[in-house]
Amino acid sequence: MKRITYPERHGWRDKAREVGFGFHEMYGEPYWLDDVAYTFTLQEIEEQIEAPSQELHEMCMDLVGDIVTSEEALDHLAIPEELRDLVRDSWERGDRHLYGRFDLAYDGQGPVKLLEYNADTPTSVFETAYFQYNWLIDQIAAGVLPQDADQFNSLQESLVEAFGQFSKEPIFHFAAMTDNEEDRGTTVYLMDCAVQAGHRVELLDIGEIGVDALGRFTDLQDRVIDRCFKLYPWEFMLRENFAPYLPRSGRAFVEPAWKAVLSNKGLLPLLWKRYPNHPNLLPAFFTDDPGASSLSSYVQKPLLSREGENVSIFTNGKELASAPGDYGAEGFVIQEYAPLFESEGGFAVLGSWIVGDRACGLGIREDRSRITANLSRFVPHVILD
Amino acid sequence: MRRRLSGRKPPLLSLGTIAISSLALAGCAGEPPGEVLFTSVDQCITAGMDAQVCQAGYQDAMQAHLQSSPKFDGLAACEAEYGVGQCAEQQPVATGVAAASLPRSSRAICCPRRSTISAITIAIATSGLTTALPMGRRRSIAIAPARRLPLAPGQAAMWWPPRVRPCSRSTSIPAPSFARALVAVAASVSAGRQ
């Protein structure tokens, strides 16, 4: 793994604008970097990223059944009691899921380490699947990269294939916070993949979903929502005013309710307990576990948190970095600290994608902070031998 | 042969863009329902239609294209008819068999790229509705008959002039009126990035 500077593509901002990728800049800062890339060898991708990601996903899937049938585990994950049947039933019924993204620490040496599993919300899917791929073919066409340059990226065709597994009969609704450009763009991209798989689709704001007299979710035309992609985390859904309707009608959503147990930092200690000393896992504990005090360099993470909020890093007992935020009420986990790839660009986290239970793509974000947050930048990658 | 980890074809966007909002379509009071046809999103927008409405029409047309366009067993067969670079591979769907398990030749179903087919025609139906309603209220969506000839770059596409008259009496606004729905956002926090 190396970080290499390249000439940026001529007119790449126009290309971004043409496809509606307006959030290549966010919060007044560049988000997409066109003039730099992370390079890997094929062997490095296959052995250090693809195979471990596949194995980690299988380990997670193997654990879900145990978690959803254990009140103790569900307590630890702060899944509300009245909605545990929803979570359990969705797993036992085998409700179909689409995707997940592992955040991995890798500094070019030794095995990757799992930082967390974003198993419920798809941040950076468009950048990874579409814009990054076009960066590769443009740079090959421009002679900047060799003809045989490659990328770990079959993300879009995997998504189309995965959408194709859902019944075409109901309208596939897509719900998001549509006033947020990035959320909306990400959702419309996935909607596009669904169209390519042959679905009839409709976009609506998550706040526009209604409920009919039978407790079924409805769209703006009062049609019953039978299938709904949502870019909205389960931990929010389980705690909102319409949550009482979820047991009746929550089956409609993709990702399914059982993803609430994977997209939760409480997964990390449960994985470590099941697979102690696995080379791709870091020691992790709930805060009430005596093992938590055995770590001298560790990261404290809220069970439920986004954009790195309320994460703190301690090395040798001293705070190295911390991020403010509004999370943490449900409790924390402690995970051993793993250094990230560090360069003049900052600290890089690997986002390794699973679609349809298969590891199929990589997107890398870097941040000036050790805690990857909302000012992180997306950097394309390329496989060169 | 060296294993490749990228997708077999560059990804396409059937909607053309990810910058689409939840919008509504409304026609003009007293107007009879009508229909306008375009062969590209740009053309639709240029004619004064709402961009999002054009995209929605395109979505329907694209889906119809993917389902109805000629299929070839392999890129070479497609390119023999349509020319080099004019074809795209399309994943078979709902086969129940993982595509990766099939030999390449059996999963390479090719069809001409959308940009080379003039048969992708966007039909926007209008109605006499006076209040803003969701896009799904479009009364009908029609797809023009397929014309199985690729267009050369820059060649003017075949199109049908709008049969819809403007609702405004002002001659300076030659387009039908499409009102944007007022989107009530109940929640106040973004799902955010993770």
Side-chain angles (χ1 to χ4, degrees), chain A residues 135-184:
Chain A
W135 175 88
L136 177 77
I137 54 179
D138 288 348
Q139 294 290 43
I140 290 173
V144 170
L145 292 173
Q147 284 293 330
D148 62 351
D150 197 19
Q151 201 170 72
F152 180 27
N153 190 5
S154 59
L155 192 45
Q156 177 163 320
E157 63 188 50
S158 301
L159 285 165
V160 173
E161 190 180 324
F163 271 115
Q165 303 296 314
F166 287 86
S167 164
K168 307 290 188 331
E169 198 166 322
I171 294 173
F172 214 130
H173 287 81
F174 283 74
M177 309 288 299
T178 54
D179 59 342
N180 177 291
E181 184 188 6
E182 184 191 5
D183 283 10
R184 190 183 65 234

Short mmCIF file of all heavy atoms in Angstrom, two decimals, chain A residues 135-184:
data_model
loop_
_atom_site.label_atom_id
_atom_site.label_comp_id
_atom_site.label_asym_id
_atom_site.label_seq_id
_atom_site.Cartn_x
_atom_site.Cartn_y
_atom_site.Cartn_z
N TRP A 135 -12.63 7.18 -12.61
CA TRP A 135 -11.28 7.72 -12.44
C TRP A 135 -10.26 6.76 -13.04
O TRP A 135 -9.35 7.16 -13.77
CB TRP A 135 -11.00 7.96 -10.94
CG TRP A 135 -9.60 8.42 -10.64
CD1 TRP A 135 -9.15 9.70 -10.61
CD2 TRP A 135 -8.47 7.58 -10.35
NE1 TRP A 135 -7.80 9.73 -10.31
CE2 TRP A 135 -7.37 8.44 -10.15
CE3 TRP A 135 -8.28 6.21 -10.24
CZ2 TRP A 135 -6.10 7.96 -9.85
CZ3 TRP A 135 -7.01 5.73 -9.95
CH2 TRP A 135 -5.92 6.61 -9.75
N LEU A 136 -10.42 5.47 -12.75
CA LEU A 136 -9.47 4.46 -13.25
C LEU A 136 -9.45 4.44 -14.78
O LEU A 136 -8.38 4.52 -15.39
CB LEU A 136 -9.84 3.07 -12.71
CG LEU A 136 -8.96 1.94 -13.24
CD1 LEU A 136 -7.61 1.93 -12.53
CD2 LEU A 136 -9.64 0.58 -13.07
N ILE A 137 -10.64 4.34 -15.39
CA ILE A 137 -10.63 4.21 -16.86
C ILE A 137 -10.17 5.51 -17.53
O ILE A 137 -9.50 5.47 -18.54
CB ILE A 137 -11.98 3.71 -17.42
CG1 ILE A 137 -13.15 4.56 -16.97
CG2 ILE A 137 -12.24 2.27 -17.05
CD1 ILE A 137 -14.49 4.09 -17.52
N ASP A 138 -10.49 6.64 -16.93
CA ASP A 138 -10.00 7.91 -17.49
C ASP A 138 -8.48 8.00 -17.40
O ASP A 138 -7.81 8.47 -18.34
CB ASP A 138 -10.62 9.10 -16.75
CG ASP A 138 -12.10 9.30 -17.09
OD1 ASP A 138 -12.57 8.67 -18.05
OD2 ASP A 138 -12.76 10.08 -16.39
N GLN A 139 -7.95 7.59 -16.26
CA GLN A 139 -6.50 7.70 -16.08
C GLN A 139 -5.74 6.69 -16.95
O GLN A 139 -4.62 6.95 -17.38
CB GLN A 139 -6.12 7.50 -14.59
CG GLN A 139 -6.65 8.61 -13.67
CD GLN A 139 -5.95 9.96 -13.87
OE1 GLN A 139 -5.70 10.39 -14.99
NE2 GLN A 139 -5.65 10.64 -12.76
N ILE A 140 -6.37 5.55 -17.23
CA ILE A 140 -5.77 4.60 -18.18
C ILE A 140 -5.81 5.21 -19.58
O ILE A 140 -4.81 5.21 -20.31
CB ILE A 140 -6.50 3.24 -18.14
CG1 ILE A 140 -6.22 2.53 -16.81
CG2 ILE A 140 -6.05 2.36 -19.32
CD1 ILE A 140 -7.04 1.25 -16.60
N ALA A 141 -6.97 5.77 -19.94
CA ALA A 141 -7.12 6.36 -21.28
C ALA A 141 -6.15 7.52 -21.48
O ALA A 141 -5.65 7.74 -22.59
CB ALA A 141 -8.55 6.84 -21.47
N ALA A 142 -5.86 8.25 -20.41
CA ALA A 142 -4.95 9.40 -20.51
C ALA A 142 -3.49 8.98 -20.48
O ALA A 142 -2.60 9.82 -20.62
CB ALA A 142 -5.24 10.38 -19.37
N GLY A 143 -3.25 7.69 -20.27
CA GLY A 143 -1.87 7.22 -20.21
C GLY A 143 -1.21 7.47 -18.87
O GLY A 143 -0.01 7.21 -18.70
N VAL A 144 -1.96 7.97 -17.93
CA VAL A 144 -1.40 8.20 -16.59
C VAL A 144 -1.17 6.87 -15.89
O VAL A 144 -0.19 6.68 -15.18
CB VAL A 144 -2.36 9.10 -15.77
CG1 VAL A 144 -1.94 9.17 -14.32
CG2 VAL A 144 -2.39 10.50 -16.38
N LEU A 145 -2.09 5.93 -16.11
CA LEU A 145 -1.96 4.59 -15.53
C LEU A 145 -1.77 3.59 -16.67
O LEU A 145 -2.28 3.79 -17.77
CB LEU A 145 -3.22 4.23 -14.74
CG LEU A 145 -3.46 5.03 -13.45
CD1 LEU A 145 -4.83 4.68 -12.87
CD2 LEU A 145 -2.37 4.78 -12.43
N PRO A 146 -1.08 2.50 -16.41
CA PRO A 146 -0.85 1.50 -17.46
C PRO A 146 -2.15 0.79 -17.85
O PRO A 146 -3.12 0.77 -17.08
CB PRO A 146 0.13 0.51 -16.81
CG PRO A 146 0.00 0.72 -15.35
CD PRO A 146 -0.39 2.16 -15.15
N GLN A 147 -2.17 0.20 -19.03
CA GLN A 147 -3.36 -0.46 -19.56
C GLN A 147 -3.88 -1.56 -18.63
O GLN A 147 -5.08 -1.81 -18.58
CB GLN A 147 -3.05 -1.08 -20.93
CG GLN A 147 -2.98 -0.06 -22.07
CD GLN A 147 -4.33 0.59 -22.37
OE1 GLN A 147 -5.38 -0.01 -22.18
NE2 GLN A 147 -4.30 1.85 -22.80
N ASP A 148 -2.98 -2.22 -17.95
CA ASP A 148 -3.43 -3.34 -17.12
C ASP A 148 -3.70 -2.92 -15.67
O ASP A 148 -3.87 -3.76 -14.80
CB ASP A 148 -2.42 -4.49 -17.16
CG ASP A 148 -1.06 -4.08 -16.61
OD1 ASP A 148 -0.85 -2.86 -16.36
OD2 ASP A 148 -0.20 -4.96 -16.44
N ALA A 149 -3.73 -1.63 -15.42
CA ALA A 149 -4.10 -1.18 -14.07
C ALA A 149 -5.51 -1.64 -13.75
O ALA A 149 -6.37 -1.68 -14.61
CB ALA A 149 -4.02 0.35 -14.00
N ASP A 150 -5.74 -2.00 -12.50
CA ASP A 150 -7.04 -2.58 -12.13
C ASP A 150 -7.51 -1.95 -10.82
O ASP A 150 -6.83 -1.10 -10.23
CB ASP A 150 -6.90 -4.11 -12.01
CG ASP A 150 -8.25 -4.82 -12.04
OD1 ASP A 150 -9.25 -4.23 -12.50
OD2 ASP A 150 -8.30 -5.99 -11.58
N GLN A 151 -8.65 -2.36 -10.38
CA GLN A 151 -9.24 -1.83 -9.16
C GLN A 151 -10.07 -2.93 -8.51
O GLN A 151 -10.69 -3.72 -9.23
CB GLN A 151 -10.13 -0.65 -9.53
CG GLN A 151 -10.44 0.33 -8.42
CD GLN A 151 -11.13 1.57 -9.01
OE1 GLN A 151 -12.28 1.52 -9.41
NE2 GLN A 151 -10.41 2.69 -9.04
N PHE A 152 -10.09 -2.97 -7.19
CA PHE A 152 -10.94 -3.94 -6.50
C PHE A 152 -12.33 -3.31 -6.46
O PHE A 152 -12.67 -2.58 -5.52
CB PHE A 152 -10.39 -4.20 -5.09
CG PHE A 152 -11.21 -5.19 -4.28
CD1 PHE A 152 -11.98 -6.18 -4.89
CD2 PHE A 152 -11.18 -5.14 -2.90
CE1 PHE A 152 -12.72 -7.07 -4.14
CE2 PHE A 152 -11.92 -6.03 -2.13
CZ PHE A 152 -12.69 -7.00 -2.76
N ASN A 153 -13.11 -3.56 -7.50
CA ASN A 153 -14.35 -2.79 -7.63
C ASN A 153 -15.33 -3.41 -8.63
O ASN A 153 -15.41 -2.98 -9.77
CB ASN A 153 -14.02 -1.35 -8.04
CG ASN A 153 -15.22 -0.45 -7.95
OD1 ASN A 153 -16.30 -0.85 -7.51
ND2 ASN A 153 -15.05 0.79 -8.38
N SER A 154 -16.07 -4.40 -8.19
CA SER A 154 -17.22 -4.84 -8.99
C SER A 154 -18.49 -4.49 -8.22
O SER A 154 -19.49 -5.20 -8.25
CB SER A 154 -17.16 -6.34 -9.29
OG SER A 154 -17.14 -7.08 -8.08
N LEU A 155 -18.40 -3.35 -7.53
CA LEU A 155 -19.48 -2.98 -6.61
C LEU A 155 -20.81 -2.74 -7.33
O LEU A 155 -21.85 -3.25 -6.91
CB LEU A 155 -19.04 -1.73 -5.84
CG LEU A 155 -19.84 -1.28 -4.63
CD1 LEU A 155 -20.20 -2.43 -3.71
CD2 LEU A 155 -19.06 -0.23 -3.86
N GLN A 156 -20.77 -1.97 -8.44
CA GLN A 156 -22.06 -1.66 -9.08
C GLN A 156 -22.72 -2.91 -9.65
O GLN A 156 -23.91 -3.13 -9.46
CB GLN A 156 -21.92 -0.60 -10.18
CG GLN A 156 -23.28 -0.37 -10.87
CD GLN A 156 -23.38 0.90 -11.67
OE1 GLN A 156 -22.90 1.95 -11.26
NE2 GLN A 156 -24.03 0.82 -12.82
N GLU A 157 -21.97 -3.73 -10.36
CA GLU A 157 -22.65 -4.90 -10.94
C GLU A 157 -23.10 -5.85 -9.85
O GLU A 157 -24.11 -6.54 -10.01
CB GLU A 157 -21.78 -5.59 -12.00
CG GLU A 157 -20.49 -6.18 -11.52
CD GLU A 157 -19.65 -6.64 -12.71
OE1 GLU A 157 -19.47 -5.86 -13.66
OE2 GLU A 157 -19.18 -7.79 -12.69
N SER A 158 -22.40 -5.86 -8.72
CA SER A 158 -22.85 -6.69 -7.59
C SER A 158 -24.15 -6.14 -7.02
O SER A 158 -25.04 -6.91 -6.63
CB SER A 158 -21.78 -6.73 -6.50
OG SER A 158 -20.57 -7.25 -7.01
N LEU A 159 -24.25 -4.81 -6.96
CA LEU A 159 -25.49 -4.19 -6.45
C LEU A 159 -26.66 -4.48 -7.37
O LEU A 159 -27.76 -4.83 -6.92
CB LEU A 159 -25.30 -2.68 -6.29
CG LEU A 159 -24.46 -2.22 -5.10
CD1 LEU A 159 -24.05 -0.77 -5.26
CD2 LEU A 159 -25.22 -2.42 -3.79
N VAL A 160 -26.43 -4.34 -8.68
CA VAL A 160 -27.52 -4.62 -9.63
C VAL A 160 -27.96 -6.08 -9.50
O VAL A 160 -29.16 -6.39 -9.46
CB VAL A 160 -27.06 -4.30 -11.08
CG1 VAL A 160 -28.12 -4.74 -12.09
CG2 VAL A 160 -26.77 -2.81 -11.22
N GLU A 161 -26.98 -6.95 -9.38
CA GLU A 161 -27.30 -8.37 -9.22
C GLU A 161 -28.08 -8.62 -7.93
O GLU A 161 -29.06 -9.36 -7.91
CB GLU A 161 -25.99 -9.17 -9.22
CG GLU A 161 -26.15 -10.66 -9.30
CD GLU A 161 -24.79 -11.36 -9.27
OE1 GLU A 161 -23.82 -10.83 -9.85
OE2 GLU A 161 -24.71 -12.44 -8.66
N ALA A 162 -27.64 -7.95 -6.85
CA ALA A 162 -28.31 -8.15 -5.56
C ALA A 162 -29.73 -7.58 -5.59
O ALA A 162 -30.66 -8.20 -5.06
CB ALA A 162 -27.50 -7.49 -4.44
N PHE A 163 -29.92 -6.43 -6.22
CA PHE A 163 -31.28 -5.88 -6.35
C PHE A 163 -32.15 -6.83 -7.18
O PHE A 163 -33.35 -6.94 -6.96
CB PHE A 163 -31.25 -4.50 -7.01
CG PHE A 163 -31.08 -3.35 -6.04
CD1 PHE A 163 -29.96 -2.56 -6.06
CD2 PHE A 163 -32.08 -3.08 -5.11
CE1 PHE A 163 -29.82 -1.50 -5.17
CE2 PHE A 163 -31.95 -2.02 -4.22
CZ PHE A 163 -30.81 -1.24 -4.25
N GLY A 164 -31.52 -7.50 -8.14
CA GLY A 164 -32.26 -8.40 -9.00
C GLY A 164 -32.84 -9.59 -8.26
O GLY A 164 -33.75 -10.26 -8.76
N GLN A 165 -32.34 -9.84 -7.07
CA GLN A 165 -32.84 -10.98 -6.29
C GLN A 165 -34.15 -10.66 -5.57
O GLN A 165 -34.81 -11.55 -5.06
CB GLN A 165 -31.79 -11.42 -5.25
CG GLN A 165 -30.44 -11.79 -5.85
CD GLN A 165 -30.51 -13.00 -6.76
OE1 GLN A 165 -31.11 -14.01 -6.41
NE2 GLN A 165 -29.93 -12.89 -7.94
N PHE A 166 -34.49 -9.38 -5.49
CA PHE A 166 -35.75 -8.99 -4.84
C PHE A 166 -36.89 -9.11 -5.84
O PHE A 166 -36.70 -8.87 -7.04
CB PHE A 166 -35.67 -7.54 -4.35
CG PHE A 166 -34.79 -7.34 -3.14
CD1 PHE A 166 -33.43 -7.13 -3.27
CD2 PHE A 166 -35.34 -7.36 -1.86
CE1 PHE A 166 -32.62 -6.94 -2.16
CE2 PHE A 166 -34.55 -7.16 -0.74
CZ PHE A 166 -33.18 -6.96 -0.89
N SER A 167 -38.06 -9.42 -5.34
CA SER A 167 -39.25 -9.52 -6.20
C SER A 167 -39.48 -8.20 -6.94
O SER A 167 -39.36 -7.12 -6.36
CB SER A 167 -40.47 -9.85 -5.35
OG SER A 167 -41.65 -9.59 -6.09
N LYS A 168 -39.84 -8.32 -8.22
CA LYS A 168 -40.09 -7.11 -9.02
C LYS A 168 -41.54 -6.64 -8.86
O LYS A 168 -41.94 -5.64 -9.43
CB LYS A 168 -39.84 -7.39 -10.51
CG LYS A 168 -38.49 -7.99 -10.84
CD LYS A 168 -37.39 -6.99 -10.64
CE LYS A 168 -36.03 -7.48 -11.13
NZ LYS A 168 -35.77 -8.89 -11.12
N GLU A 169 -42.32 -7.40 -8.15
CA GLU A 169 -43.75 -7.10 -8.10
C GLU A 169 -44.07 -5.77 -7.40
O GLU A 169 -44.70 -4.90 -7.99
CB GLU A 169 -44.49 -8.26 -7.44
CG GLU A 169 -45.97 -8.22 -7.73
CD GLU A 169 -46.62 -9.54 -7.37
OE1 GLU A 169 -46.00 -10.59 -7.60
OE2 GLU A 169 -47.74 -9.49 -6.85
N PRO A 170 -43.64 -5.59 -6.14
CA PRO A 170 -43.98 -4.30 -5.52
C PRO A 170 -43.10 -3.17 -6.03
O PRO A 170 -41.98 -3.41 -6.48
CB PRO A 170 -43.71 -4.55 -4.04
CG PRO A 170 -42.72 -5.64 -3.98
CD PRO A 170 -42.90 -6.47 -5.23
N ILE A 171 -43.61 -1.95 -5.96
CA ILE A 171 -42.76 -0.79 -6.21
C ILE A 171 -41.65 -0.78 -5.17
O ILE A 171 -41.89 -1.04 -3.98
CB ILE A 171 -43.58 0.51 -6.08
CG1 ILE A 171 -44.62 0.58 -7.19
CG2 ILE A 171 -42.67 1.74 -6.13
CD1 ILE A 171 -45.58 1.75 -7.02
N PHE A 172 -40.43 -0.54 -5.60
CA PHE A 172 -39.31 -0.45 -4.66
C PHE A 172 -39.19 1.03 -4.27
O PHE A 172 -38.71 1.84 -5.06
CB PHE A 172 -38.03 -0.95 -5.32
CG PHE A 172 -37.07 -1.64 -4.39
CD1 PHE A 172 -36.54 -2.88 -4.70
CD2 PHE A 172 -36.71 -1.05 -3.19
CE1 PHE A 172 -35.66 -3.53 -3.84
CE2 PHE A 172 -35.83 -1.69 -2.33
CZ PHE A 172 -35.30 -2.94 -2.66
N HIS A 173 -39.67 1.36 -3.09
CA HIS A 173 -39.54 2.74 -2.63
C HIS A 173 -38.13 2.99 -2.10
O HIS A 173 -37.48 2.08 -1.59
CB HIS A 173 -40.55 3.02 -1.51
CG HIS A 173 -41.97 3.12 -1.99
ND1 HIS A 173 -42.75 2.01 -2.24
CD2 HIS A 173 -42.75 4.19 -2.24
CE1 HIS A 173 -43.95 2.42 -2.64
NE2 HIS A 173 -43.99 3.73 -2.65
N PHE A 174 -37.70 4.23 -2.22
CA PHE A 174 -36.39 4.64 -1.69
C PHE A 174 -36.59 5.86 -0.82
O PHE A 174 -37.05 6.90 -1.29
CB PHE A 174 -35.41 4.94 -2.84
CG PHE A 174 -34.88 3.69 -3.48
CD1 PHE A 174 -35.68 2.93 -4.31
CD2 PHE A 174 -33.60 3.25 -3.20
CE1 PHE A 174 -35.21 1.75 -4.87
CE2 PHE A 174 -33.12 2.07 -3.76
CZ PHE A 174 -33.93 1.32 -4.59
N ALA A 175 -36.25 5.72 0.46
CA ALA A 175 -36.49 6.80 1.41
C ALA A 175 -35.18 7.26 2.03
O ALA A 175 -34.32 6.46 2.37
CB ALA A 175 -37.44 6.31 2.51
N ALA A 176 -35.06 8.57 2.13
CA ALA A 176 -33.85 9.15 2.72
C ALA A 176 -34.18 10.54 3.23
O ALA A 176 -35.27 11.05 3.01
CB ALA A 176 -32.73 9.23 1.68
N MET A 177 -33.20 11.15 3.90
CA MET A 177 -33.34 12.56 4.26
C MET A 177 -33.00 13.34 2.99
O MET A 177 -31.85 13.66 2.73
CB MET A 177 -32.33 12.92 5.36
CG MET A 177 -32.36 12.00 6.54
SD MET A 177 -33.81 12.23 7.54
CE MET A 177 -33.59 13.92 8.02
N THR A 178 -34.02 13.64 2.21
CA THR A 178 -33.75 14.15 0.87
C THR A 178 -33.24 15.58 0.86
O THR A 178 -32.80 16.07 -0.18
CB THR A 178 -35.01 14.05 -0.02
OG1 THR A 178 -36.09 14.70 0.66
CG2 THR A 178 -35.37 12.61 -0.28
N ASP A 179 -33.31 16.27 2.00
CA ASP A 179 -32.75 17.63 2.00
C ASP A 179 -31.23 17.60 2.19
O ASP A 179 -30.58 18.63 2.10
CB ASP A 179 -33.42 18.50 3.08
CG ASP A 179 -33.27 17.93 4.47
OD1 ASP A 179 -32.97 16.72 4.58
OD2 ASP A 179 -33.45 18.67 5.45
N ASN A 180 -30.68 16.44 2.45
CA ASN A 180 -29.23 16.31 2.56
C ASN A 180 -28.70 15.81 1.21
O ASN A 180 -29.04 14.71 0.77
CB ASN A 180 -28.89 15.33 3.68
CG ASN A 180 -27.39 15.09 3.81
OD1 ASN A 180 -26.77 14.48 2.95
ND2 ASN A 180 -26.81 15.57 4.89
N GLU A 181 -27.87 16.62 0.57
CA GLU A 181 -27.45 16.30 -0.79
C GLU A 181 -26.74 14.95 -0.88
O GLU A 181 -26.96 14.17 -1.81
CB GLU A 181 -26.52 17.41 -1.31
CG GLU A 181 -26.13 17.18 -2.76
CD GLU A 181 -25.07 18.16 -3.26
OE1 GLU A 181 -24.55 18.94 -2.43
OE2 GLU A 181 -24.76 18.11 -4.46
N GLU A 182 -25.89 14.67 0.08
CA GLU A 182 -25.13 13.42 0.02
C GLU A 182 -26.05 12.21 0.24
O GLU A 182 -25.97 11.22 -0.48
CB GLU A 182 -24.01 13.44 1.06
CG GLU A 182 -23.14 12.20 0.97
CD GLU A 182 -22.18 12.06 2.14
OE1 GLU A 182 -22.26 12.88 3.08
OE2 GLU A 182 -21.39 11.12 2.12
N ASP A 183 -26.90 12.31 1.23
CA ASP A 183 -27.83 11.20 1.49
C ASP A 183 -28.73 10.95 0.28
O ASP A 183 -28.98 9.81 -0.11
CB ASP A 183 -28.72 11.50 2.71
CG ASP A 183 -27.98 11.31 4.03
OD1 ASP A 183 -26.76 11.13 4.00
OD2 ASP A 183 -28.64 11.36 5.08
N ARG A 184 -29.21 12.05 -0.30
CA ARG A 184 -30.11 11.92 -1.43
C ARG A 184 -29.38 11.33 -2.64
O ARG A 184 -29.87 10.42 -3.30
CB ARG A 184 -30.70 13.29 -1.79
CG ARG A 184 -31.83 13.23 -2.81
CD ARG A 184 -32.30 14.63 -3.17
NE ARG A 184 -31.27 15.38 -3.86
CZ ARG A 184 -30.81 16.58 -3.49
NH1 ARG A 184 -31.32 17.19 -2.44
NH2 ARG A 184 -29.86 17.18 -4.16
#
